[in-house]
Amino acid sequence: MPQFSVTLAKIAEESNLTTLYAAKDLSETKVITAEVYRPGIMLAGYYQYFDNTRIQIIGLTELSYLQELEPEVRRTHLEKLFSFRPPCVILTRDLEPLPEMLEFAKKYSVPLLRSTEMTSPLMSSLITTLNTELAPRITRHGVLVEVAGEGILILGDSGVGKSETAIELVKRGHRLVADDAVELRKVSSRKIMGMAPANIRHFIELRGIGIINVARLFGAGAVKNSVEVEMVVELEPWERTKNYDRTGLEMDSYDILGVAVPSMLIPVMPGRNLAVILETAAINNRQKEMGYNAAQELLNTLGLQNDIGSGL
């Protein structure tokens, strides 16, 4: 799996950070670790296992501790911190930097930034941004839409009707996230985020018409930059000899970077309104997430639960 990075400039923009000192443009500094660190134990003199690829956060507790130290001891610990050359050091709560911080930031060319946020909310925001930007990712040929709040990844062979279905969904008030190339990122052990590559975002290709800009044609409310993938729908031409699921008792899954995402196979044939079917599938999937299964209720009502369970 390749190692991904994000520029310090993007992190600063996302978290509304101001620059106190930077030897070069923040866009030239790359961050490769999704974790952030409060270096309290290091400022107390313990340097073992220090990871210099992490962003360092100094809050009110760390600054108060430093101010209570003897000047020479404070200089020693601060110089040690900056000498490891972390991606940056961030002061929270709009705190004023100690003179030694600016001195050693310049000496070791370490960006020194500041935030008005309190320490814990800032760390949470940074971790969320870093997890998204540095997440393992793959690209799949398909269409990603948000239907009734559910992110649906539509897969299938070229010409099966993925893009046409997406346009019909947009006309019905839902939103397009990506067409043709869908970038899938594993932002946690159970969560996949989908988005479009920046250069094709909001564009969709319709055979016979060409490429259109959905945001321009249908308005900003018709598109979304990213969404959690909560269901995968595979479209395939109808085969009359094939048995398709007619109850929905058991949900299949589609593996994306080790995360099992609920999936279903939908046959395509003339006369089937795929947009309505996907709307229904999205709402039904949401009900299942909330603990309700219509097929299960019907079996219970008919008293067939034991027969189905025993395979009769």
Side-chain angles (χ1 to χ4, degrees), residues 27 57 81 104 113 129 172 195 216 220 229 252 255 275 279:
S27 61
I57 309 290
L81 171 64
F104 295 131
L113 309 178
T129 299
R172 296 174 67 89
M195 58 199 68
R216 292 292 184 90
V229 180
D252 293 328
D255 185 272
E279 278 183 331

Side-chain angles (χ1 to χ4, degrees), residues 70-135:
E70 293 295 328
E72 286 304 313
V73 176
R74 180 169 61 241
R75 285 184 60 85
T76 298
H77 292 329
L78 279 173
E79 181 166 18
K80 188 70 174 180
L81 171 64
F82 282 89
S83 70
F84 279 106
R85 291 186 169 87
C88 70
V89 175
I90 302 175
L91 285 164
T92 63
R93 295 172 173 261
D94 210 20
L95 296 170
E96 288 296 324
L98 298 173
E100 297 94 332
M101 291 180 178
L102 286 168
E103 176 187 344
F104 295 131
K106 294 175 182 178
K107 180 177 179 179
Y108 295 103
S109 299
V110 175
L112 184 61
L113 309 178
R114 181 163 59 188
S115 170
T116 58
E117 293 278 348
M118 295 178 68
T119 306
S120 293
L122 175 65
M123 291 180 68
S124 178
S125 171
L126 287 171
I127 290 171
T128 299
T129 299
L130 291 168
N131 278 335
T132 301
E133 295 295 333
L134 303 178

Side-chain angles (χ1 to χ4, degrees), residues 151-227:
I152 300 181
L153 175 63
I154 307 173
L155 303 176
D157 294 337
S158 295
V160 77
K162 300 185 297 295
S163 298
E164 291 79 1
T165 301
I167 283 295
E168 181 63 26
L169 286 167
V170 166
K171 289 179 64 179
R172 296 174 67 89
H174 307 292
R175 295 195 279 187
L176 173 75
V177 180
D179 177 64
D180 191 43
V182 182
E183 188 175 279
L184 302 167
R185 301 187 182 189
K186 182 180 179 181
V187 297
S188 75
S189 60
R190 295 184 296 176
K191 187 174 181 179
I192 299 292
M193 292 296 294
M195 58 199 68
N199 56 349
I200 62 170
R201 188 171 296 152
H202 305 161
F203 289 96
I204 193 168
E205 177 194 352
L206 295 173
R207 284 176 173 79
I209 296 178
I211 296 173
I212 63 171
N213 187 319
V214 173
R216 292 292 184 90
L217 200 60
F218 296 98
V223 295
K224 191 174 184 180
N225 287 342
S226 64
V227 71

